[in-house]
Structures are given as C-alpha cells and as structure tokens.
Amino acid sequence: MSKYSKDRAFTNYVHTNLAIPLIYTPLNWSEVKLKKDYSKYIDMMDGIDYVFRKGSTIMSVQERFREKKYQDFTDFTIRYRRDSNRIKDRHESEYYKMKAHYFTYGIIDSAKNEAEKASSFIKYAIIDLKKVYQKLDEEKIYISDNGKNKCKIVEGNRLECPVKYNSDGSSSFFPIDISYLVQIWGHDMLVAQNGFL
C-alpha cells in the first residue's frame, strides 16, 4: 500500500470512527453524502474533504489528524508547496487552492498504525478558515522561510509562520499556532476545541 493510501485510510478511519461521533455530532453537524467524482474534484481543486449541514447552513471542511506522538504540538499545519513534483501544475499545494470554510485538526490517543485502538482525541480544534484567510490577506499572518521551527508573535498583533520541509523532500508546509490565534484575535477564530488551550 502506498504512503498516500495509508494516510488516506488513517484519515478516513479517524473521520468515521472518532470525528463524527466525538466532534461533529455534538455540534449537530450532519455529513452531506457527495457523489464520489464530485468529492474527489473538490478535494483536488478546493482542498475540501467533507461537507456538513447544520439546519440550512452548509459548511465545507478540510481535515487533518495526527497520531499520539504529536500531542505536544500546539499548531495545525497547512501544506504549502511541492516543488520537487515533476508536474509543474502540482507545485502549489493546499495553501494556494484551499477554499474550505473550516479546518478540523485532531490528535488521537494511539499510534497511527494502531488507529483501531484509538478511543478519543487527546486534543482537537475546528479553526474558522474564513477568519484565517482574512488575516493572511491582511498580512496579519504571514509565511516566512526563516529556518525557524515555530510561529511567533511579532509587533504584538501579527503572526509569523515558518516554512517547514518534510524530511523526504516531497513537500513543505507551515504551522499556525492555535493558542496564538486565540491570544491575538480571540476565541472567534475557533468553532470548537478541546485540549489546545
């Protein structure tokens, strides 16, 4: 099984067995079942993994789940670039196309290869990406290839986020510290969270 297939299987398992009952159901978010072709299209083109409904409101979501060993991290990550991809159109990753309304990020209480033993999230957050996009547009959040490991607050009200490179050279990403989002701009940056603050 390829790394992508394993990652996808892990994410799908956590989504179905943990995220639906523990995160979305308490919020009264119901998953909208999409046609497979359309689901694949919005994932590739718009960075949308799932669509939910709450009453008459429709919400699109990007999800990322991590195993227990990442429990000490306080940030969520957005894929940035894939410059080593031989297909030039694929160099710009999730950051450049993402149109999801929300980002659900969670860390489960087991190792990735034992996901079936997981019973809960050590921590999770639903980040309001519309507000994050606005801060990026205003350059209140800015991406800096500065060689650092973590975000830092600068000038009291801006967030500098470093570019990080995967060890296999496949892609880069940048972290956004969830606690800093709330510290600078308040709890409105999140829809829900447990364990990050």
Side-chain angles (χ1 to χ4, degrees), residues 82-115:
R82 288 187 166 98
D83 289 326
S84 61
N85 194 306
R86 66 185 198 289
I87 302 169
K88 192 172 181 183
D89 287 352
R90 295 184 185 166
H91 286 193
E92 293 183 346
S93 193
E94 177 177 272
Y95 166 71
Y96 295 93
K97 64 183 179 181
M98 202 160 58
K99 295 177 184 164
H101 298 125
Y102 302 102
F103 197 115
T104 300
Y105 194 79
I107 297 169
I108 64 170
D109 64 350
S110 77
K112 188 174 189 175
N113 62 353
E114 298 180 321

PDB file of all heavy atoms in Angstrom, residues 82-115:
ATOM      1  N   ARG A  82       4.988  21.819  -3.331  1.00  0.00           N
ATOM      2  CA  ARG A  82       5.573  20.529  -3.745  1.00  0.00           C
ATOM      3  C   ARG A  82       6.496  20.805  -4.921  1.00  0.00           C
ATOM      4  O   ARG A  82       6.251  20.380  -6.042  1.00  0.00           O
ATOM      5  CB  ARG A  82       4.456  19.565  -4.162  1.00  0.00           C
ATOM      6  CG  ARG A  82       3.628  19.039  -3.034  1.00  0.00           C
ATOM      7  CD  ARG A  82       2.673  17.963  -3.544  1.00  0.00           C
ATOM      8  NE  ARG A  82       2.088  17.215  -2.447  1.00  0.00           N
ATOM      9  CZ  ARG A  82       0.882  17.462  -1.951  1.00  0.00           C
ATOM     10  NH1 ARG A  82       0.131  18.420  -2.445  1.00  0.00           N
ATOM     11  NH2 ARG A  82       0.423  16.735  -0.956  1.00  0.00           N
ATOM     12  N   ASP A  83       7.544  21.538  -4.700  1.00  0.00           N
ATOM     13  CA  ASP A  83       8.421  21.981  -5.787  1.00  0.00           C
ATOM     14  C   ASP A  83       9.170  20.849  -6.475  1.00  0.00           C
ATOM     15  O   ASP A  83       9.636  21.020  -7.601  1.00  0.00           O
ATOM     16  CB  ASP A  83       9.412  23.033  -5.271  1.00  0.00           C
ATOM     17  CG  ASP A  83       8.706  24.349  -4.966  1.00  0.00           C
ATOM     18  OD1 ASP A  83       7.734  24.684  -5.672  1.00  0.00           O
ATOM     19  OD2 ASP A  83       9.120  25.038  -4.014  1.00  0.00           O
ATOM     20  N   SER A  84       9.290  19.693  -5.823  1.00  0.00           N
ATOM     21  CA  SER A  84      10.003  18.579  -6.454  1.00  0.00           C
ATOM     22  C   SER A  84       9.087  17.723  -7.336  1.00  0.00           C
ATOM     23  O   SER A  84       9.564  16.810  -8.014  1.00  0.00           O
ATOM     24  CB  SER A  84      10.651  17.692  -5.385  1.00  0.00           C
ATOM     25  OG  SER A  84       9.663  17.153  -4.531  1.00  0.00           O
ATOM     26  N   ASN A  85       7.798  18.029  -7.340  1.00  0.00           N
ATOM     27  CA  ASN A  85       6.884  17.267  -8.197  1.00  0.00           C
ATOM     28  C   ASN A  85       7.213  17.546  -9.661  1.00  0.00           C
ATOM     29  O   ASN A  85       7.381  18.688 -10.061  1.00  0.00           O
ATOM     30  CB  ASN A  85       5.425  17.650  -7.900  1.00  0.00           C
ATOM     31  CG  ASN A  85       4.432  16.673  -8.499  1.00  0.00           C
ATOM     32  OD1 ASN A  85       4.453  16.394  -9.693  1.00  0.00           O
ATOM     33  ND2 ASN A  85       3.559  16.165  -7.653  1.00  0.00           N
ATOM     34  N   ARG A  86       7.320  16.487 -10.455  1.00  0.00           N
ATOM     35  CA  ARG A  86       7.719  16.665 -11.855  1.00  0.00           C
ATOM     36  C   ARG A  86       6.634  17.358 -12.682  1.00  0.00           C
ATOM     37  O   ARG A  86       6.910  17.870 -13.763  1.00  0.00           O
ATOM     38  CB  ARG A  86       8.111  15.328 -12.480  1.00  0.00           C
ATOM     39  CG  ARG A  86       7.006  14.331 -12.622  1.00  0.00           C
ATOM     40  CD  ARG A  86       7.545  12.986 -13.137  1.00  0.00           C
ATOM     41  NE  ARG A  86       6.533  12.132 -13.674  1.00  0.00           N
ATOM     42  CZ  ARG A  86       5.596  11.505 -12.974  1.00  0.00           C
ATOM     43  NH1 ARG A  86       5.552  11.674 -11.656  1.00  0.00           N
ATOM     44  NH2 ARG A  86       4.707  10.725 -13.550  1.00  0.00           N
ATOM     45  N   ILE A  87       5.406  17.384 -12.176  1.00  0.00           N
ATOM     46  CA  ILE A  87       4.310  18.069 -12.880  1.00  0.00           C
ATOM     47  C   ILE A  87       4.184  19.484 -12.301  1.00  0.00           C
ATOM     48  O   ILE A  87       3.810  19.656 -11.136  1.00  0.00           O
ATOM     49  CB  ILE A  87       2.990  17.293 -12.737  1.00  0.00           C
ATOM     50  CG1 ILE A  87       3.154  15.881 -13.292  1.00  0.00           C
ATOM     51  CG2 ILE A  87       1.852  18.032 -13.453  1.00  0.00           C
ATOM     52  CD1 ILE A  87       2.017  14.933 -12.967  1.00  0.00           C
ATOM     53  N   LYS A  88       4.519  20.467 -13.102  1.00  0.00           N
ATOM     54  CA  LYS A  88       4.612  21.850 -12.620  1.00  0.00           C
ATOM     55  C   LYS A  88       3.304  22.354 -12.009  1.00  0.00           C
ATOM     56  O   LYS A  88       3.309  23.102 -11.024  1.00  0.00           O
ATOM     57  CB  LYS A  88       5.046  22.764 -13.771  1.00  0.00           C
ATOM     58  CG  LYS A  88       5.447  24.141 -13.310  1.00  0.00           C
ATOM     59  CD  LYS A  88       6.043  24.976 -14.419  1.00  0.00           C
ATOM     60  CE  LYS A  88       6.452  26.332 -13.874  1.00  0.00           C
ATOM     61  NZ  LYS A  88       6.981  27.214 -14.899  1.00  0.00           N
ATOM     62  N   ASP A  89       2.165  21.926 -12.594  1.00  0.00           N
ATOM     63  CA  ASP A  89       0.866  22.373 -12.083  1.00  0.00           C
ATOM     64  C   ASP A  89       0.590  21.914 -10.654  1.00  0.00           C
ATOM     65  O   ASP A  89      -0.332  22.404 -10.016  1.00  0.00           O
ATOM     66  CB  ASP A  89      -0.274  21.863 -12.981  1.00  0.00           C
ATOM     67  CG  ASP A  89      -0.342  22.605 -14.309  1.00  0.00           C
ATOM     68  OD1 ASP A  89       0.383  23.609 -14.460  1.00  0.00           O
ATOM     69  OD2 ASP A  89      -1.115  22.166 -15.189  1.00  0.00           O
ATOM     70  N   ARG A  90       1.391  20.973 -10.161  1.00  0.00           N
ATOM     71  CA  ARG A  90       1.184  20.448  -8.812  1.00  0.00           C
ATOM     72  C   ARG A  90       2.167  21.027  -7.795  1.00  0.00           C
ATOM     73  O   ARG A  90       2.200  20.578  -6.646  1.00  0.00           O
ATOM     74  CB  ARG A  90       1.275  18.920  -8.824  1.00  0.00           C
ATOM     75  CG  ARG A  90       0.166  18.297  -9.641  1.00  0.00           C
ATOM     76  CD  ARG A  90       0.195  16.808  -9.569  1.00  0.00           C
ATOM     77  NE  ARG A  90      -0.805  16.235 -10.457  1.00  0.00           N
ATOM     78  CZ  ARG A  90      -0.860  14.973 -10.817  1.00  0.00           C
ATOM     79  NH1 ARG A  90       0.037  14.121 -10.350  1.00  0.00           N
ATOM     80  NH2 ARG A  90      -1.792  14.536 -11.623  1.00  0.00           N
ATOM     81  N   HIS A  91       2.961  22.016  -8.190  1.00  0.00           N
ATOM     82  CA  HIS A  91       3.915  22.615  -7.255  1.00  0.00           C
ATOM     83  C   HIS A  91       3.213  23.381  -6.136  1.00  0.00           C
ATOM     84  O   HIS A  91       3.670  23.359  -5.001  1.00  0.00           O
ATOM     85  CB  HIS A  91       4.886  23.548  -7.995  1.00  0.00           C
ATOM     86  CG  HIS A  91       5.901  22.799  -8.800  1.00  0.00           C
ATOM     87  ND1 HIS A  91       7.013  23.411  -9.332  1.00  0.00           N
ATOM     88  CD2 HIS A  91       5.998  21.498  -9.171  1.00  0.00           C
ATOM     89  CE1 HIS A  91       7.733  22.519  -9.991  1.00  0.00           C
ATOM     90  NE2 HIS A  91       7.130  21.348  -9.910  1.00  0.00           N
ATOM     91  N   GLU A  92       2.150  24.063  -6.476  1.00  0.00           N
ATOM     92  CA  GLU A  92       1.410  24.810  -5.459  1.00  0.00           C
ATOM     93  C   GLU A  92       0.448  23.853  -4.778  1.00  0.00           C
ATOM     94  O   GLU A  92      -0.389  23.232  -5.420  1.00  0.00           O
ATOM     95  CB  GLU A  92       0.664  25.982  -6.088  1.00  0.00           C
ATOM     96  CG  GLU A  92       1.613  27.036  -6.626  1.00  0.00           C
ATOM     97  CD  GLU A  92       0.894  28.248  -7.194  1.00  0.00           C
ATOM     98  OE1 GLU A  92      -0.332  28.178  -7.414  1.00  0.00           O
ATOM     99  OE2 GLU A  92       1.569  29.261  -7.405  1.00  0.00           O
ATOM    100  N   SER A  93       0.564  23.740  -3.473  1.00  0.00           N
ATOM    101  CA  SER A  93      -0.221  22.756  -2.739  1.00  0.00           C
ATOM    102  C   SER A  93      -1.462  23.385  -2.123  1.00  0.00           C
ATOM    103  O   SER A  93      -1.947  24.424  -2.565  1.00  0.00           O
ATOM    104  CB  SER A  93       0.681  22.092  -1.693  1.00  0.00           C
ATOM    105  OG  SER A  93       0.070  20.951  -1.168  1.00  0.00           O
ATOM    106  N   GLU A  94      -1.936  22.726  -1.062  1.00  0.00           N
ATOM    107  CA  GLU A  94      -3.197  23.049  -0.395  1.00  0.00           C
ATOM    108  C   GLU A  94      -3.407  24.548  -0.130  1.00  0.00           C
ATOM    109  O   GLU A  94      -4.485  25.082  -0.369  1.00  0.00           O
ATOM    110  CB  GLU A  94      -3.149  22.267   0.922  1.00  0.00           C
ATOM    111  CG  GLU A  94      -4.225  22.385   1.889  1.00  0.00           C
ATOM    112  CD  GLU A  94      -3.939  21.438   3.053  1.00  0.00           C
ATOM    113  OE1 GLU A  94      -4.350  20.267   2.967  1.00  0.00           O
ATOM    114  OE2 GLU A  94      -3.302  21.863   4.028  1.00  0.00           O
ATOM    115  N   TYR A  95      -2.381  25.234   0.333  1.00  0.00           N
ATOM    116  CA  TYR A  95      -2.498  26.647   0.691  1.00  0.00           C
ATOM    117  C   TYR A  95      -3.037  27.491  -0.461  1.00  0.00           C
ATOM    118  O   TYR A  95      -3.814  28.422  -0.250  1.00  0.00           O
ATOM    119  CB  TYR A  95      -1.126  27.168   1.131  1.00  0.00           C
ATOM    120  CG  TYR A  95      -1.032  28.668   1.209  1.00  0.00           C
ATOM    121  CD1 TYR A  95      -1.692  29.380   2.200  1.00  0.00           C
ATOM    122  CD2 TYR A  95      -0.276  29.385   0.287  1.00  0.00           C
ATOM    123  CE1 TYR A  95      -1.604  30.755   2.280  1.00  0.00           C
ATOM    124  CE2 TYR A  95      -0.185  30.761   0.351  1.00  0.00           C
ATOM    125  CZ  TYR A  95      -0.852  31.443   1.341  1.00  0.00           C
ATOM    126  OH  TYR A  95      -0.765  32.801   1.403  1.00  0.00           O
ATOM    127  N   TYR A  96      -2.632  27.180  -1.678  1.00  0.00           N
ATOM    128  CA  TYR A  96      -2.984  28.002  -2.832  1.00  0.00           C
ATOM    129  C   TYR A  96      -4.394  27.744  -3.347  1.00  0.00           C
ATOM    130  O   TYR A  96      -4.931  28.561  -4.089  1.00  0.00           O
ATOM    131  CB  TYR A  96      -1.986  27.757  -3.970  1.00  0.00           C
ATOM    132  CG  TYR A  96      -0.594  28.222  -3.607  1.00  0.00           C
ATOM    133  CD1 TYR A  96       0.320  27.339  -3.050  1.00  0.00           C
ATOM    134  CD2 TYR A  96      -0.210  29.547  -3.797  1.00  0.00           C
ATOM    135  CE1 TYR A  96       1.596  27.761  -2.704  1.00  0.00           C
ATOM    136  CE2 TYR A  96       1.069  29.970  -3.462  1.00  0.00           C
ATOM    137  CZ  TYR A  96       1.959  29.080  -2.906  1.00  0.00           C
ATOM    138  OH  TYR A  96       3.217  29.501  -2.558  1.00  0.00           O
ATOM    139  N   LYS A  97      -4.983  26.625  -2.976  1.00  0.00           N
ATOM    140  CA  LYS A  97      -6.293  26.280  -3.533  1.00  0.00           C
ATOM    141  C   LYS A  97      -7.381  26.157  -2.479  1.00  0.00           C
ATOM    142  O   LYS A  97      -8.555  26.099  -2.810  1.00  0.00           O
ATOM    143  CB  LYS A  97      -6.199  24.961  -4.297  1.00  0.00           C
ATOM    144  CG  LYS A  97      -5.840  23.764  -3.424  1.00  0.00           C
ATOM    145  CD  LYS A  97      -5.683  22.488  -4.228  1.00  0.00           C
ATOM    146  CE  LYS A  97      -5.309  21.312  -3.336  1.00  0.00           C
ATOM    147  NZ  LYS A  97      -5.133  20.086  -4.084  1.00  0.00           N
ATOM    148  N   MET A  98      -7.008  26.136  -1.222  1.00  0.00           N
ATOM    149  CA  MET A  98      -7.947  25.797  -0.160  1.00  0.00           C
ATOM    150  C   MET A  98      -9.093  26.804  -0.058  1.00  0.00           C
ATOM    151  O   MET A  98      -8.868  27.999   0.087  1.00  0.00           O
ATOM    152  CB  MET A  98      -7.210  25.710   1.176  1.00  0.00           C
ATOM    153  CG  MET A  98      -7.926  24.887   2.200  1.00  0.00           C
ATOM    154  SD  MET A  98      -6.836  24.313   3.524  1.00  0.00           S
ATOM    155  CE  MET A  98      -6.217  25.829   4.170  1.00  0.00           C
ATOM    156  N   LYS A  99     -10.302  26.284  -0.172  1.00  0.00           N
ATOM    157  CA  LYS A  99     -11.495  27.124  -0.073  1.00  0.00           C
ATOM    158  C   LYS A  99     -12.438  26.640   1.022  1.00  0.00           C
ATOM    159  O   LYS A  99     -13.549  27.135   1.141  1.00  0.00           O
ATOM    160  CB  LYS A  99     -12.230  27.136  -1.417  1.00  0.00           C
ATOM    161  CG  LYS A  99     -11.429  27.797  -2.525  1.00  0.00           C
ATOM    162  CD  LYS A  99     -12.150  27.722  -3.842  1.00  0.00           C
ATOM    163  CE  LYS A  99     -11.267  28.314  -4.952  1.00  0.00           C
ATOM    164  NZ  LYS A  99     -11.744  27.947  -6.285  1.00  0.00           N
ATOM    165  N   ALA A 100     -12.002  25.657   1.802  1.00  0.00           N
ATOM    166  CA  ALA A 100     -12.847  25.135   2.879  1.00  0.00           C
ATOM    167  C   ALA A 100     -13.164  26.238   3.884  1.00  0.00           C
ATOM    168  O   ALA A 100     -12.353  27.131   4.127  1.00  0.00           O
ATOM    169  CB  ALA A 100     -12.145  23.974   3.583  1.00  0.00           C
ATOM    170  N   HIS A 101     -14.357  26.161   4.468  1.00  0.00           N
ATOM    171  CA  HIS A 101     -14.757  27.126   5.499  1.00  0.00           C
ATOM    172  C   HIS A 101     -14.039  26.864   6.823  1.00  0.00           C
ATOM    173  O   HIS A 101     -13.736  27.796   7.563  1.00  0.00           O
ATOM    174  CB  HIS A 101     -16.265  27.041   5.756  1.00  0.00           C
ATOM    175  CG  HIS A 101     -17.108  27.363   4.575  1.00  0.00           C
ATOM    176  ND1 HIS A 101     -18.070  26.511   4.097  1.00  0.00           N
ATOM    177  CD2 HIS A 101     -17.129  28.446   3.759  1.00  0.00           C
ATOM    178  CE1 HIS A 101     -18.652  27.052   3.046  1.00  0.00           C
ATOM    179  NE2 HIS A 101     -18.094  28.219   2.820  1.00  0.00           N
ATOM    180  N   TYR A 102     -13.804  25.579   7.111  1.00  0.00           N
ATOM    181  CA  TYR A 102     -13.253  25.203   8.407  1.00  0.00           C
ATOM    182  C   TYR A 102     -12.156  24.157   8.250  1.00  0.00           C
ATOM    183  O   TYR A 102     -12.138  23.404   7.282  1.00  0.00           O
ATOM    184  CB  TYR A 102     -14.354  24.645   9.329  1.00  0.00           C
ATOM    185  CG  TYR A 102     -15.466  25.634   9.547  1.00  0.00           C
ATOM    186  CD1 TYR A 102     -16.670  25.506   8.860  1.00  0.00           C
ATOM    187  CD2 TYR A 102     -15.312  26.707  10.417  1.00  0.00           C
ATOM    188  CE1 TYR A 102     -17.689  26.431   9.030  1.00  0.00           C
ATOM    189  CE2 TYR A 102     -16.325  27.635  10.594  1.00  0.00           C
ATOM    190  CZ  TYR A 102     -17.506  27.482   9.901  1.00  0.00           C
ATOM    191  OH  TYR A 102     -18.495  28.410  10.069  1.00  0.00           O
ATOM    192  N   PHE A 103     -11.258  24.111   9.240  1.00  0.00           N
ATOM    193  CA  PHE A 103     -10.182  23.126   9.281  1.00  0.00           C
ATOM    194  C   PHE A 103     -10.318  22.379  10.605  1.00  0.00           C
ATOM    195  O   PHE A 103     -10.220  22.983  11.670  1.00  0.00           O
ATOM    196  CB  PHE A 103      -8.836  23.834   9.214  1.00  0.00           C
ATOM    197  CG  PHE A 103      -7.671  22.950   8.844  1.00  0.00           C
ATOM    198  CD1 PHE A 103      -6.993  23.153   7.654  1.00  0.00           C
ATOM    199  CD2 PHE A 103      -7.238  21.930   9.672  1.00  0.00           C
ATOM    200  CE1 PHE A 103      -5.908  22.358   7.301  1.00  0.00           C
ATOM    201  CE2 PHE A 103      -6.174  21.121   9.334  1.00  0.00           C
ATOM    202  CZ  PHE A 103      -5.501  21.336   8.134  1.00  0.00           C
ATOM    203  N   THR A 104     -10.551  21.077  10.525  1.00  0.00           N
ATOM    204  CA  THR A 104     -10.618  20.252  11.728  1.00  0.00           C
ATOM    205  C   THR A 104      -9.286  19.540  11.887  1.00  0.00           C
ATOM    206  O   THR A 104      -8.833  18.840  10.986  1.00  0.00           O
ATOM    207  CB  THR A 104     -11.760  19.218  11.625  1.00  0.00           C
ATOM    208  OG1 THR A 104     -12.994  19.916  11.471  1.00  0.00           O
ATOM    209  CG2 THR A 104     -11.825  18.361  12.881  1.00  0.00           C
ATOM    210  N   TYR A 105      -8.672  19.771  13.030  1.00  0.00           N
ATOM    211  CA  TYR A 105      -7.348  19.216  13.306  1.00  0.00           C
ATOM    212  C   TYR A 105      -7.416  18.465  14.625  1.00  0.00           C
ATOM    213  O   TYR A 105      -7.866  19.021  15.635  1.00  0.00           O
ATOM    214  CB  TYR A 105      -6.335  20.356  13.391  1.00  0.00           C
ATOM    215  CG  TYR A 105      -4.891  19.915  13.347  1.00  0.00           C
ATOM    216  CD1 TYR A 105      -4.283  19.591  12.136  1.00  0.00           C
ATOM    217  CD2 TYR A 105      -4.125  19.845  14.498  1.00  0.00           C
ATOM    218  CE1 TYR A 105      -2.954  19.206  12.074  1.00  0.00           C
ATOM    219  CE2 TYR A 105      -2.791  19.466  14.449  1.00  0.00           C
ATOM    220  CZ  TYR A 105      -2.215  19.147  13.240  1.00  0.00           C
ATOM    221  OH  TYR A 105      -0.903  18.757  13.180  1.00  0.00           O
ATOM    222  N   GLY A 106      -6.994  17.201  14.624  1.00  0.00           N
ATOM    223  CA  GLY A 106      -7.075  16.435  15.851  1.00  0.00           C
ATOM    224  C   GLY A 106      -5.930  15.475  16.031  1.00  0.00           C
ATOM    225  O   GLY A 106      -5.351  14.991  15.053  1.00  0.00           O
ATOM    226  N   ILE A 107      -5.613  15.198  17.283  1.00  0.00           N
ATOM    227  CA  ILE A 107      -4.558  14.252  17.633  1.00  0.00           C
ATOM    228  C   ILE A 107      -5.196  13.131  18.448  1.00  0.00           C
ATOM    229  O   ILE A 107      -5.802  13.382  19.498  1.00  0.00           O
ATOM    230  CB  ILE A 107      -3.434  14.952  18.417  1.00  0.00           C
ATOM    231  CG1 ILE A 107      -2.804  16.020  17.517  1.00  0.00           C
ATOM    232  CG2 ILE A 107      -2.391  13.936  18.885  1.00  0.00           C
ATOM    233  CD1 ILE A 107      -1.868  16.960  18.187  1.00  0.00           C
ATOM    234  N   ILE A 108      -5.093  11.909  17.929  1.00  0.00           N
ATOM    235  CA  ILE A 108      -5.757  10.771  18.560  1.00  0.00           C
ATOM    236  C   ILE A 108      -4.890  10.163  19.666  1.00  0.00           C
ATOM    237  O   ILE A 108      -3.700  10.443  19.753  1.00  0.00           O
ATOM    238  CB  ILE A 108      -6.137   9.694  17.519  1.00  0.00           C
ATOM    239  CG1 ILE A 108      -4.888   9.087  16.849  1.00  0.00           C
ATOM    240  CG2 ILE A 108      -7.087  10.271  16.468  1.00  0.00           C
ATOM    241  CD1 ILE A 108      -5.171   7.855  15.999  1.00  0.00           C
ATOM    242  N   ASP A 109      -5.530   9.320  20.482  1.00  0.00           N
ATOM    243  CA  ASP A 109      -4.844   8.743  21.639  1.00  0.00           C
ATOM    244  C   ASP A 109      -4.191   7.388  21.351  1.00  0.00           C
ATOM    245  O   ASP A 109      -4.138   6.521  22.216  1.00  0.00           O
ATOM    246  CB  ASP A 109      -5.814   8.626  22.823  1.00  0.00           C
ATOM    247  CG  ASP A 109      -6.971   7.675  22.556  1.00  0.00           C
ATOM    248  OD1 ASP A 109      -7.147   7.235  21.387  1.00  0.00           O
ATOM    249  OD2 ASP A 109      -7.712   7.371  23.514  1.00  0.00           O
ATOM    250  N   SER A 110      -3.683   7.234  20.128  1.00  0.00           N
ATOM    251  CA  SER A 110      -2.957   6.000  19.790  1.00  0.00           C
ATOM    252  C   SER A 110      -1.938   6.306  18.705  1.00  0.00           C
ATOM    253  O   SER A 110      -1.930   7.401  18.132  1.00  0.00           O
ATOM    254  CB  SER A 110      -3.924   4.918  19.296  1.00  0.00           C
ATOM    255  OG  SER A 110      -4.314   5.176  17.962  1.00  0.00           O
ATOM    256  N   ALA A 111      -1.110   5.312  18.407  1.00  0.00           N
ATOM    257  CA  ALA A 111      -0.184   5.417  17.282  1.00  0.00           C
ATOM    258  C   ALA A 111      -0.979   5.275  15.985  1.00  0.00           C
ATOM    259  O   ALA A 111      -2.066   4.690  15.957  1.00  0.00           O
ATOM    260  CB  ALA A 111       0.876   4.326  17.371  1.00  0.00           C
ATOM    261  N   LYS A 112      -0.418   5.786  14.911  1.00  0.00           N
ATOM    262  CA  LYS A 112      -1.087   5.742  13.602  1.00  0.00           C
ATOM    263  C   LYS A 112      -1.345   4.310  13.148  1.00  0.00           C
ATOM    264  O   LYS A 112      -2.416   3.999  12.629  1.00  0.00           O
ATOM    265  CB  LYS A 112      -0.231   6.483  12.579  1.00  0.00           C
ATOM    266  CG  LYS A 112      -0.883   6.689  11.239  1.00  0.00           C
ATOM    267  CD  LYS A 112      -0.001   7.568  10.372  1.00  0.00           C
ATOM    268  CE  LYS A 112      -0.693   7.983   9.099  1.00  0.00           C
ATOM    269  NZ  LYS A 112       0.133   8.928   8.330  1.00  0.00           N
ATOM    270  N   ASN A 113      -0.370   3.422  13.365  1.00  0.00           N
ATOM    271  CA  ASN A 113      -0.520   2.042  12.909  1.00  0.00           C
ATOM    272  C   ASN A 113      -1.412   1.204  13.836  1.00  0.00           C
ATOM    273  O   ASN A 113      -1.627   0.022  13.601  1.00  0.00           O
ATOM    274  CB  ASN A 113       0.841   1.368  12.728  1.00  0.00           C
ATOM    275  CG  ASN A 113       1.628   1.279  14.022  1.00  0.00           C
ATOM    276  OD1 ASN A 113       1.233   1.817  15.052  1.00  0.00           O
ATOM    277  ND2 ASN A 113       2.763   0.610  13.972  1.00  0.00           N
ATOM    278  N   GLU A 114      -1.934   1.850  14.884  1.00  0.00           N
ATOM    279  CA  GLU A 114      -2.888   1.195  15.784  1.00  0.00           C
ATOM    280  C   GLU A 114      -4.137   2.045  15.948  1.00  0.00           C
ATOM    281  O   GLU A 114      -4.749   2.084  17.017  1.00  0.00           O
ATOM    282  CB  GLU A 114      -2.252   0.953  17.153  1.00  0.00           C
ATOM    283  CG  GLU A 114      -1.047   0.039  17.132  1.00  0.00           C
ATOM    284  CD  GLU A 114      -0.448  -0.170  18.512  1.00  0.00           C
ATOM    285  OE1 GLU A 114      -0.381   0.792  19.300  1.00  0.00           O
ATOM    286  OE2 GLU A 114      -0.054  -1.320  18.794  1.00  0.00           O
ATOM    287  N   ALA A 115      -4.515   2.723  14.878  1.00  0.00           N
ATOM    288  CA  ALA A 115      -5.650   3.654  14.935  1.00  0.00           C
ATOM    289  C   ALA A 115      -6.923   2.976  15.425  1.00  0.00           C
ATOM    290  O   ALA A 115      -7.744   3.610  16.095  1.00  0.00           O
ATOM    291  CB  ALA A 115      -5.884   4.295  13.563  1.00  0.00           C
TER     292      ALA A 115
END
